[in-house]
Amino acid sequence: DLSFPVELVGMSRNSPTSALELTECGQQHDGLESHLYEYQDDVDDELVCHICLQPLIRPMDTPCGHTYCFHCLSNFLKEQDFCPVDRQRLQLHQCRPSSLLVRNLLDKLTVMCPHNTECQQQMQRCELQPHLHNRCPVFRRLREEAEKRKRPSWNELKGRKSDGESSGDAKHSASLSRNPTRDQPEPGLINPAYEESEDDNTPLRSSLVAEANVVELFREEPEEELGLRIVGGKDTPLGNIVIQEIVRDSLAARDGRLAPGDHILEVNDISLASVPHARAMAVLRLPSLLKLTVMQEKGFKTRDPHGNTTSNHNPGTVLQVTLMKSQRSEPLGIKLIRKSDESGVFILDLLSGGLAAKDGKLRNNDKVLAINGHDLRHGTPESAAQIIQGSEVRVNFVVMRPAETQEEGGSSRGRRPEPQYFRRRSTYMKDPPGGFSSQEKTVSLKKEPRLSLGITIAGGRDCRSRLPVYITSVQPVGCLHRDGTIKRGDVLLSINGVDLTQLTYSEAVSVLKAQTAQSQVVLRVIQTLSDDSEEDIESASKDDLDPLEELRDDTLNWTPLWTRWLGLPSHMHWCRDIVLQKTNNESWGFSIVGGYEESHGQQPFFIKTIVPGTPAHFDGRLKCGDEIVAVNGATTVGMNNSSLIPMLKLQKNKVTLTVVSWPGSLV
């Protein structure tokens, strides 16, 4: 189940030809049931699930030594609390995925294509999904029929749109009108990511490809992080809950099905369509099994002058390469690495005389998207090597090859990682989003010289996102705890008149230690505020802990929610310029929300969507939730959507975006 999801063009789960008919196994079944296959040989009893009596799908081992399909066991344990065979007490979080050996044996079982009236192909079970997507004529026809049906709007899929949310989401309905004077849209509907070109020699976009998928993530430990950074919420201009980043080597990264830019619509059937940011975080922190319904952008479809539809892979190309080993143990001669600035697996080198070098189709710097149907978009070199070693003689690669274009300074599209994210203090003055603000607080204390303030800090201008120095805990042993004015999450401005706002972490620690030795301490902090009463849900859950609990590691490593930063005044922001380039009339590849609205006044502009296969996506520096404070040096303050979007469209080959970025909330 690590293979790519079926690409249905905007089909809802209730449509006449629903996703039930176009599942990974190609057979109809409920989304909560295991996949169905037509096996050609008898299967060893040791590889059969004790619940469904079929060969195991995503096998899970219990502590008492029995093995079941993941779906079968999770559904059973929703109603019962014991092992179906020996009735010993059992909970899902106690179970573990079966060994790679068992999974490989199951992957090698021979199955028949389910459309066997027209397609008589037999293959290993792990090869069925690639067969359906790439070679089966019946499946291709079904998918084309599905794509012709009217796509439901984004709002039908995500439920009732929250009050005041920008109508930018309407992009997921039918293709946007090419006549801007007809049916004038609400502000924000036409976005630079989705414009269609009038230029005859440019391929025309027929529509964005987006699909709703259900992704299940299982925490082995209740406190285990999923490895998602999220932004958005009904209390922010973004509206939706959006994944900003996948943390490397995390549970979500190993699973591989989620990606930055995915919109989380539901968690365990709880809708996130109209909940504030902090409430969404609380839902995502539920223990054990999480079933996420996500809307995933797949990029644009383009149509050529003859009406044929193709995927837009500019400025990168997706290639399929098959290597045939003479025997199972033969090495491929490929060195794989990870990169510091981009998730996934990349080809570092092809060994001279090796199988891959002789074949000649793979190249250095190709990004490995999948091997034998296993999704590696957020995988590791180790997991890729395991798949290769466990494969038979045939090894199928899907790789992304960057386009051979030149960027500023003559470097190729593979950007070098920047030593720091943010270059300078913002000179662009703007108000925070509606509902967010800040206030300064000053505390003056007389104390014994050796008495600690009792605070721990993080941030500093040398950290990845150039965060200000902020307080991670106020411990019960210090004098600030007794005073009660200073809270966790407050940003430090100064101590005894010494400015702390431009210091690195180590510099701030040194200044705090030196000034704390004085008998008189004056501390200035700034606290961000939110009008939404649910803003402090996550902090309340930990701020009310027993004082001794405050010393635990997880409180010392605490990080603020994304919304905590939105109220900071703009003179405390650090920003950088991002230069995007393109070679034709394609879209820049991002959509925006914000600007002047009658109901909310002036709102900052935020990046809401980044479309795969576009300049913004391949550049890699823009993230969902980033604020755009200037375009080509001109401030965006005072603009509305209908002013900023034409400005972006007029930039034909190059645009400079000045952005401020805060790290998404970690869950």
Side-chain angles (χ1 to χ4, degrees), residues 219 223-231 244-248 250 252 277 280-282 284-285 538 542 557-563 565 663-667:
R219 284 186 170 100
E223 298 296 320
E224 181 182 8
E225 288 180 349
L226 296 178
L228 304 177
R229 288 194 177 275
I230 66 165
V231 296
Q244 181 195 62
E245 193 174 344
I246 307 286
V247 178
R248 173 177 292 171
S250 64
H277 185 87
M281 287 293 292
L284 284 162
R285 284 172 175 158
E538 59 87 36
K542 290 186 176 179
N557 295 330
W558 176 83
T559 57
L561 291 184
W562 175 72
T563 46
W565 305 114
S665 304
L666 183 62
V667 63

mmCIF file of all heavy atoms in Angstrom, residues 219 223-231 244-248 250 252 277 280-282 284-285 538 542 557-563 565 663-667:
data_model
loop_
_atom_site.group_PDB
_atom_site.id
_atom_site.type_symbol
_atom_site.label_atom_id
_atom_site.label_comp_id
_atom_site.label_asym_id
_atom_site.label_seq_id
_atom_site.Cartn_x
_atom_site.Cartn_y
_atom_site.Cartn_z
ATOM 1 N N ARG A 219 0.083 5.685 14.878
ATOM 2 C CA ARG A 219 1.119 5.992 15.867
ATOM 3 C C ARG A 219 1.406 4.741 16.694
ATOM 4 O O ARG A 219 0.518 4.200 17.338
ATOM 5 C CB ARG A 219 0.647 7.094 16.811
ATOM 6 C CG ARG A 219 0.652 8.500 16.245
ATOM 7 C CD ARG A 219 0.300 9.473 17.376
ATOM 8 N NE ARG A 219 0.492 10.851 16.999
ATOM 9 C CZ ARG A 219 -0.504 11.657 16.612
ATOM 10 N NH1 ARG A 219 -1.730 11.184 16.520
ATOM 11 N NH2 ARG A 219 -0.257 12.911 16.301
ATOM 12 N N GLU A 223 2.366 9.343 21.992
ATOM 13 C CA GLU A 223 2.966 10.672 21.921
ATOM 14 C C GLU A 223 3.807 10.877 20.659
ATOM 15 O O GLU A 223 4.414 11.941 20.481
ATOM 16 C CB GLU A 223 3.849 10.916 23.159
ATOM 17 C CG GLU A 223 3.090 10.884 24.473
ATOM 18 C CD GLU A 223 2.052 11.995 24.577
ATOM 19 O OE1 GLU A 223 2.357 13.115 24.139
ATOM 20 O OE2 GLU A 223 0.947 11.728 25.069
ATOM 21 N N GLU A 224 3.893 9.856 19.793
ATOM 22 C CA GLU A 224 4.742 9.953 18.611
ATOM 23 C C GLU A 224 4.252 11.067 17.689
ATOM 24 O O GLU A 224 3.061 11.207 17.431
ATOM 25 C CB GLU A 224 4.746 8.621 17.852
ATOM 26 C CG GLU A 224 5.642 8.624 16.617
ATOM 27 C CD GLU A 224 5.594 7.302 15.859
ATOM 28 O OE1 GLU A 224 4.745 6.450 16.217
ATOM 29 O OE2 GLU A 224 6.388 7.127 14.932
ATOM 30 N N GLU A 225 5.189 11.869 17.178
ATOM 31 C CA GLU A 225 4.828 12.925 16.240
ATOM 32 C C GLU A 225 4.536 12.351 14.866
ATOM 33 O O GLU A 225 5.213 11.427 14.413
ATOM 34 C CB GLU A 225 5.968 13.952 16.124
ATOM 35 C CG GLU A 225 6.132 14.826 17.351
ATOM 36 C CD GLU A 225 7.276 15.816 17.195
ATOM 37 O OE1 GLU A 225 8.060 15.668 16.239
ATOM 38 O OE2 GLU A 225 7.386 16.727 18.033
ATOM 39 N N LEU A 226 3.517 12.907 14.195
ATOM 40 C CA LEU A 226 3.235 12.499 12.815
ATOM 41 C C LEU A 226 4.327 13.009 11.885
ATOM 42 O O LEU A 226 4.629 12.388 10.871
ATOM 43 C CB LEU A 226 1.893 13.053 12.356
ATOM 44 C CG LEU A 226 0.635 12.571 13.084
ATOM 45 C CD1 LEU A 226 -0.588 13.262 12.507
ATOM 46 C CD2 LEU A 226 0.497 11.066 12.987
ATOM 47 N N GLY A 227 4.913 14.160 12.218
ATOM 48 C CA GLY A 227 5.929 14.753 11.346
ATOM 49 C C GLY A 227 5.337 15.693 10.317
ATOM 50 O O GLY A 227 5.880 15.856 9.234
ATOM 51 N N LEU A 228 4.200 16.333 10.657
ATOM 52 C CA LEU A 228 3.575 17.314 9.776
ATOM 53 C C LEU A 228 3.707 18.701 10.390
ATOM 54 O O LEU A 228 3.541 18.871 11.598
ATOM 55 C CB LEU A 228 2.076 17.024 9.598
ATOM 56 C CG LEU A 228 1.661 15.653 9.080
ATOM 57 C CD1 LEU A 228 0.143 15.561 9.057
ATOM 58 C CD2 LEU A 228 2.234 15.401 7.698
ATOM 59 N N ARG A 229 4.005 19.706 9.559
ATOM 60 C CA ARG A 229 3.865 21.097 9.967
ATOM 61 C C ARG A 229 2.666 21.656 9.213
ATOM 62 O O ARG A 229 2.619 21.581 7.987
ATOM 63 C CB ARG A 229 5.127 21.894 9.652
ATOM 64 C CG ARG A 229 6.302 21.569 10.560
ATOM 65 C CD ARG A 229 7.417 22.594 10.456
ATOM 66 N NE ARG A 229 8.497 22.295 11.373
ATOM 67 C CZ ARG A 229 8.526 22.666 12.654
ATOM 68 N NH1 ARG A 229 7.506 23.363 13.143
ATOM 69 N NH2 ARG A 229 9.541 22.363 13.431
ATOM 70 N N ILE A 230 1.703 22.194 9.950
ATOM 71 C CA ILE A 230 0.467 22.651 9.312
ATOM 72 C C ILE A 230 0.263 24.148 9.528
ATOM 73 O O ILE A 230 0.757 24.739 10.491
ATOM 74 C CB ILE A 230 -0.768 21.873 9.800
ATOM 75 C CG1 ILE A 230 -1.032 22.159 11.281
ATOM 76 C CG2 ILE A 230 -0.606 20.386 9.559
ATOM 77 C CD1 ILE A 230 -2.408 21.727 11.731
ATOM 78 N N VAL A 231 -0.479 24.749 8.586
ATOM 79 C CA VAL A 231 -0.856 26.156 8.653
ATOM 80 C C VAL A 231 -2.347 26.253 8.359
ATOM 81 O O VAL A 231 -2.969 25.283 7.916
ATOM 82 C CB VAL A 231 -0.057 27.010 7.641
ATOM 83 C CG1 VAL A 231 1.416 26.992 7.970
ATOM 84 C CG2 VAL A 231 -0.275 26.516 6.203
ATOM 85 N N GLN A 244 2.200 22.350 5.450
ATOM 86 C CA GLN A 244 3.276 23.216 4.967
ATOM 87 C C GLN A 244 4.531 22.414 4.676
ATOM 88 O O GLN A 244 5.253 22.672 3.720
ATOM 89 C CB GLN A 244 3.601 24.284 6.022
ATOM 90 C CG GLN A 244 4.687 25.259 5.605
ATOM 91 C CD GLN A 244 5.239 26.047 6.775
ATOM 92 O OE1 GLN A 244 5.807 25.488 7.703
ATOM 93 N NE2 GLN A 244 5.048 27.358 6.749
ATOM 94 N N GLU A 245 4.805 21.390 5.490
ATOM 95 C CA GLU A 245 6.076 20.683 5.382
ATOM 96 C C GLU A 245 5.931 19.285 5.963
ATOM 97 O O GLU A 245 5.133 19.055 6.873
ATOM 98 C CB GLU A 245 7.148 21.467 6.164
ATOM 99 C CG GLU A 245 8.572 21.039 5.903
ATOM 100 C CD GLU A 245 9.574 21.950 6.600
ATOM 101 O OE1 GLU A 245 9.198 23.058 7.032
ATOM 102 O OE2 GLU A 245 10.737 21.543 6.720
ATOM 103 N N ILE A 246 6.689 18.334 5.416
ATOM 104 C CA ILE A 246 6.801 16.981 5.962
ATOM 105 C C ILE A 246 8.184 16.872 6.610
ATOM 106 O O ILE A 246 9.194 17.112 5.949
ATOM 107 C CB ILE A 246 6.661 15.896 4.873
ATOM 108 C CG1 ILE A 246 5.374 16.088 4.064
ATOM 109 C CG2 ILE A 246 6.716 14.504 5.491
ATOM 110 C CD1 ILE A 246 4.110 15.724 4.759
ATOM 111 N N VAL A 247 8.233 16.519 7.884
ATOM 112 C CA VAL A 247 9.510 16.423 8.588
ATOM 113 C C VAL A 247 10.232 15.150 8.161
ATOM 114 O O VAL A 247 9.642 14.064 8.109
ATOM 115 C CB VAL A 247 9.284 16.416 10.113
ATOM 116 C CG1 VAL A 247 10.610 16.257 10.856
ATOM 117 C CG2 VAL A 247 8.582 17.706 10.542
ATOM 118 N N ARG A 248 11.502 15.292 7.836
ATOM 119 C CA ARG A 248 12.306 14.157 7.361
ATOM 120 C C ARG A 248 12.328 13.027 8.395
ATOM 121 O O ARG A 248 12.401 13.252 9.594
ATOM 122 C CB ARG A 248 13.724 14.624 7.067
ATOM 123 C CG ARG A 248 14.668 13.494 6.731
ATOM 124 C CD ARG A 248 16.032 14.001 6.371
ATOM 125 N NE ARG A 248 15.988 14.713 5.107
ATOM 126 C CZ ARG A 248 17.001 15.422 4.626
ATOM 127 N NH1 ARG A 248 18.100 15.549 5.315
ATOM 128 N NH2 ARG A 248 16.901 16.023 3.459
ATOM 129 N N SER A 250 10.191 11.156 9.547
ATOM 130 C CA SER A 250 9.059 11.061 10.469
ATOM 131 C C SER A 250 8.094 9.973 10.009
ATOM 132 O O SER A 250 8.263 9.368 8.942
ATOM 133 C CB SER A 250 8.328 12.400 10.528
ATOM 134 O OG SER A 250 7.758 12.693 9.248
ATOM 135 N N ALA A 252 5.027 10.384 8.911
ATOM 136 C CA ALA A 252 4.399 10.791 7.641
ATOM 137 C C ALA A 252 5.366 10.645 6.479
ATOM 138 O O ALA A 252 4.968 10.265 5.371
ATOM 139 C CB ALA A 252 3.904 12.228 7.740
ATOM 140 N N HIS A 277 -7.349 27.021 14.082
ATOM 141 C CA HIS A 277 -6.070 26.318 13.977
ATOM 142 C C HIS A 277 -5.798 25.432 15.198
ATOM 143 O O HIS A 277 -5.431 24.267 15.061
ATOM 144 C CB HIS A 277 -4.958 27.356 13.812
ATOM 145 C CG HIS A 277 -3.604 26.776 13.579
ATOM 146 N ND1 HIS A 277 -3.133 26.452 12.320
ATOM 147 C CD2 HIS A 277 -2.604 26.438 14.439
ATOM 148 C CE1 HIS A 277 -1.916 25.956 12.417
ATOM 149 N NE2 HIS A 277 -1.565 25.939 13.691
ATOM 150 N N ALA A 280 -7.848 22.246 15.314
ATOM 151 C CA ALA A 280 -7.349 21.252 14.354
ATOM 152 C C ALA A 280 -6.128 20.534 14.913
ATOM 153 O O ALA A 280 -5.978 19.313 14.752
ATOM 154 C CB ALA A 280 -7.002 21.932 13.031
ATOM 155 N N MET A 281 -5.249 21.270 15.591
ATOM 156 C CA MET A 281 -4.075 20.648 16.196
ATOM 157 C C MET A 281 -4.491 19.620 17.248
ATOM 158 O O MET A 281 -3.920 18.529 17.339
ATOM 159 C CB MET A 281 -3.191 21.711 16.838
ATOM 160 C CG MET A 281 -2.430 22.561 15.846
ATOM 161 S SD MET A 281 -1.184 21.616 14.935
ATOM 162 C CE MET A 281 -0.034 21.245 16.259
ATOM 163 N N ALA A 282 -5.493 19.960 18.059
ATOM 164 C CA ALA A 282 -5.951 19.032 19.093
ATOM 165 C C ALA A 282 -6.495 17.748 18.472
ATOM 166 O O ALA A 282 -6.242 16.642 18.966
ATOM 167 C CB ALA A 282 -7.021 19.706 19.958
ATOM 168 N N LEU A 284 -5.645 16.482 15.518
ATOM 169 C CA LEU A 284 -4.530 15.746 14.913
ATOM 170 C C LEU A 284 -3.633 15.093 15.958
ATOM 171 O O LEU A 284 -2.810 14.237 15.614
ATOM 172 C CB LEU A 284 -3.700 16.680 14.037
ATOM 173 C CG LEU A 284 -4.328 17.031 12.686
ATOM 174 C CD1 LEU A 284 -3.677 18.262 12.086
ATOM 175 C CD2 LEU A 284 -4.239 15.848 11.726
ATOM 176 N N ARG A 285 -3.758 15.484 17.214
ATOM 177 C CA ARG A 285 -2.962 14.867 18.271
ATOM 178 C C ARG A 285 -3.661 13.677 18.907
ATOM 179 O O ARG A 285 -3.183 13.121 19.900
ATOM 180 C CB ARG A 285 -2.632 15.911 19.341
ATOM 181 C CG ARG A 285 -1.528 16.865 18.904
ATOM 182 C CD ARG A 285 -1.333 17.999 19.880
ATOM 183 N NE ARG A 285 -0.190 18.816 19.493
ATOM 184 C CZ ARG A 285 -0.015 20.077 19.864
ATOM 185 N NH1 ARG A 285 -0.918 20.672 20.619
ATOM 186 N NH2 ARG A 285 1.048 20.750 19.475
ATOM 187 N N GLU A 538 -4.107 24.535 22.871
ATOM 188 C CA GLU A 538 -2.907 23.709 23.018
ATOM 189 C C GLU A 538 -2.063 24.132 24.199
ATOM 190 O O GLU A 538 -1.476 23.301 24.868
ATOM 191 C CB GLU A 538 -2.067 23.718 21.746
ATOM 192 C CG GLU A 538 -1.594 25.092 21.313
ATOM 193 C CD GLU A 538 -0.294 25.517 21.946
ATOM 194 O OE1 GLU A 538 0.577 24.665 22.142
ATOM 195 O OE2 GLU A 538 -0.162 26.708 22.254
ATOM 196 N N LYS A 542 -1.195 22.155 28.506
ATOM 197 C CA LYS A 542 0.084 21.924 29.176
ATOM 198 C C LYS A 542 0.371 22.968 30.247
ATOM 199 O O LYS A 542 1.082 22.688 31.196
ATOM 200 C CB LYS A 542 1.221 21.919 28.143
ATOM 201 C CG LYS A 542 1.180 20.698 27.254
ATOM 202 C CD LYS A 542 2.377 20.636 26.345
ATOM 203 C CE LYS A 542 2.366 19.338 25.536
ATOM 204 N NZ LYS A 542 3.508 19.265 24.618
ATOM 205 N N ASN A 557 11.182 21.433 25.204
ATOM 206 C CA ASN A 557 11.335 21.473 23.750
ATOM 207 C C ASN A 557 10.100 22.039 23.051
ATOM 208 O O ASN A 557 9.948 21.909 21.842
ATOM 209 C CB ASN A 557 11.612 20.065 23.213
ATOM 210 C CG ASN A 557 12.939 19.535 23.704
ATOM 211 O OD1 ASN A 557 13.856 20.293 23.950
ATOM 212 N ND2 ASN A 557 13.029 18.227 23.871
ATOM 213 N N TRP A 558 9.228 22.670 23.809
ATOM 214 C CA TRP A 558 7.969 23.182 23.283
ATOM 215 C C TRP A 558 8.202 24.209 22.168
ATOM 216 O O TRP A 558 9.131 25.015 22.227
ATOM 217 C CB TRP A 558 7.200 23.828 24.431
ATOM 218 C CG TRP A 558 5.921 24.490 24.056
ATOM 219 C CD1 TRP A 558 4.695 23.909 23.889
ATOM 220 C CD2 TRP A 558 5.743 25.889 23.817
ATOM 221 N NE1 TRP A 558 3.771 24.855 23.560
ATOM 222 C CE2 TRP A 558 4.378 26.080 23.505
ATOM 223 C CE3 TRP A 558 6.599 26.989 23.832
ATOM 224 C CZ2 TRP A 558 3.842 27.323 23.217
ATOM 225 C CZ3 TRP A 558 6.074 28.242 23.536
ATOM 226 C CH2 TRP A 558 4.710 28.404 23.235
ATOM 227 N N THR A 559 7.355 24.146 21.148
ATOM 228 C CA THR A 559 7.397 25.159 20.081
ATOM 229 C C THR A 559 6.005 25.753 19.923
ATOM 230 O O THR A 559 4.995 25.057 20.083
ATOM 231 C CB THR A 559 7.836 24.550 18.734
ATOM 232 O OG1 THR A 559 6.950 23.483 18.389
ATOM 233 C CG2 THR A 559 9.262 24.034 18.810
ATOM 234 N N PRO A 560 5.915 27.048 19.606
ATOM 235 C CA PRO A 560 4.599 27.699 19.491
ATOM 236 C C PRO A 560 3.845 27.229 18.253
ATOM 237 O O PRO A 560 4.423 26.730 17.291
ATOM 238 C CB PRO A 560 4.959 29.191 19.372
ATOM 239 C CG PRO A 560 6.394 29.311 19.745
ATOM 240 C CD PRO A 560 7.021 27.988 19.432
ATOM 241 N N LEU A 561 2.522 27.425 18.302
ATOM 242 C CA LEU A 561 1.711 27.213 17.109
ATOM 243 C C LEU A 561 2.057 28.266 16.058
ATOM 244 O O LEU A 561 2.504 29.368 16.377
ATOM 245 C CB LEU A 561 0.226 27.324 17.441
ATOM 246 C CG LEU A 561 -0.409 26.235 18.309
ATOM 247 C CD1 LEU A 561 -1.901 26.483 18.437
ATOM 248 C CD2 LEU A 561 -0.149 24.855 17.743
ATOM 249 N N TRP A 562 1.783 27.931 14.802
ATOM 250 C CA TRP A 562 1.997 28.871 13.693
ATOM 251 C C TRP A 562 1.257 30.181 13.935
ATOM 252 O O TRP A 562 1.778 31.268 13.651
ATOM 253 C CB TRP A 562 1.518 28.200 12.407
ATOM 254 C CG TRP A 562 1.541 29.051 11.186
ATOM 255 C CD1 TRP A 562 2.635 29.466 10.487
ATOM 256 C CD2 TRP A 562 0.403 29.577 10.487
ATOM 257 N NE1 TRP A 562 2.254 30.217 9.402
ATOM 258 C CE2 TRP A 562 0.894 30.299 9.377
ATOM 259 C CE3 TRP A 562 -0.968 29.505 10.687
ATOM 260 C CZ2 TRP A 562 0.053 30.939 8.479
ATOM 261 C CZ3 TRP A 562 -1.812 30.147 9.792
ATOM 262 C CH2 TRP A 562 -1.303 30.853 8.708
ATOM 263 N N THR A 563 0.054 30.098 14.494
ATOM 264 C CA THR A 563 -0.754 31.301 14.705
ATOM 265 C C THR A 563 -0.133 32.238 15.736
ATOM 266 O O THR A 563 -0.457 33.430 15.769
ATOM 267 C CB THR A 563 -2.174 30.924 15.152
ATOM 268 O OG1 THR A 563 -2.082 29.928 16.185
ATOM 269 C CG2 THR A 563 -2.980 30.351 13.997
ATOM 270 N N TRP A 565 2.748 33.443 15.745
ATOM 271 C CA TRP A 565 3.625 34.426 15.104
ATOM 272 C C TRP A 565 2.852 35.482 14.325
ATOM 273 O O TRP A 565 3.396 36.542 14.005
ATOM 274 C CB TRP A 565 4.600 33.718 14.154
ATOM 275 C CG TRP A 565 5.404 32.638 14.801
ATOM 276 C CD1 TRP A 565 5.342 31.297 14.548
ATOM 277 C CD2 TRP A 565 6.398 32.797 15.814
ATOM 278 N NE1 TRP A 565 6.227 30.615 15.351
ATOM 279 C CE2 TRP A 565 6.891 31.519 16.137
ATOM 280 C CE3 TRP A 565 6.917 33.904 16.492
ATOM 281 C CZ2 TRP A 565 7.874 31.313 17.098
ATOM 282 C CZ3 TRP A 565 7.897 33.703 17.450
ATOM 283 C CH2 TRP A 565 8.360 32.421 17.745
ATOM 284 N N PRO A 663 7.305 29.019 10.716
ATOM 285 C CA PRO A 663 7.204 27.549 10.655
ATOM 286 C C PRO A 663 5.819 27.075 11.072
ATOM 287 O O PRO A 663 5.241 27.574 12.047
ATOM 288 C CB PRO A 663 8.277 27.081 11.651
ATOM 289 C CG PRO A 663 8.504 28.244 12.565
ATOM 290 C CD PRO A 663 8.261 29.469 11.748
ATOM 291 N N GLY A 664 5.263 26.144 10.311
ATOM 292 C CA GLY A 664 3.955 25.588 10.631
ATOM 293 C C GLY A 664 3.964 24.860 11.967
ATOM 294 O O GLY A 664 5.005 24.451 12.484
ATOM 295 N N SER A 665 2.779 24.694 12.531
ATOM 296 C CA SER A 665 2.649 24.005 13.818
ATOM 297 C C SER A 665 3.000 22.531 13.652
ATOM 298 O O SER A 665 2.528 21.871 12.728
ATOM 299 C CB SER A 665 1.221 24.134 14.339
ATOM 300 O OG SER A 665 0.849 25.497 14.428
ATOM 301 N N LEU A 666 3.809 22.013 14.570
ATOM 302 C CA LEU A 666 4.299 20.640 14.466
ATOM 303 C C LEU A 666 3.343 19.685 15.174
ATOM 304 O O LEU A 666 2.985 19.893 16.331
ATOM 305 C CB LEU A 666 5.693 20.541 15.085
ATOM 306 C CG LEU A 666 6.386 19.183 15.002
ATOM 307 C CD1 LEU A 666 6.610 18.771 13.548
ATOM 308 C CD2 LEU A 666 7.708 19.226 15.748
ATOM 309 N N VAL A 667 2.925 18.646 14.447
ATOM 310 C CA VAL A 667 2.047 17.649 15.053
ATOM 311 C C VAL A 667 2.568 16.257 14.724
ATOM 312 O O VAL A 667 3.149 16.052 13.648
ATOM 313 C CB VAL A 667 0.593 17.823 14.552
ATOM 314 C CG1 VAL A 667 0.501 17.600 13.064
ATOM 315 C CG2 VAL A 667 -0.358 16.909 15.288
#
